[in-house]
Amino acid sequence: MGEYFAAEQPLLKPLPTEPFETGHWSNPRVDLYVQVSVRTNRYSVPVRLIGR
């Protein structure tokens, strides 16, 4: 398995030096349209979750 990495390693780009966001914590609420907003996107969810 290591021989595969050794063959690919010269083709890989270096990791970025500055930190970057890998995740986002939020507490979205289901609105009366049965959707949640996460950042700029809206997602439909089951009706039973309205208000949660």
Side-chain angles (χ1 to χ4, degrees), residues 15-34:
L15 293 173
T17 55
E18 68 277 351
F20 58 95
E21 183 181 351
T22 59
H24 176 76
W25 288 95
S26 67
N27 293 313
R29 273 189 96 76
V30 181
D31 63 17
L32 295 176
Y33 300 104
V34 197

Side-chain angles (χ1 to χ4, degrees), residues 24-29 35-43 45:
H24 176 76
W25 288 95
S26 67
N27 293 313
R29 273 189 96 76
Q35 295 179 333
V36 293
S37 295
V38 180
R39 294 189 176 178
T40 60
N41 301 309
R42 297 181 67 76
Y43 300 96
V45 297

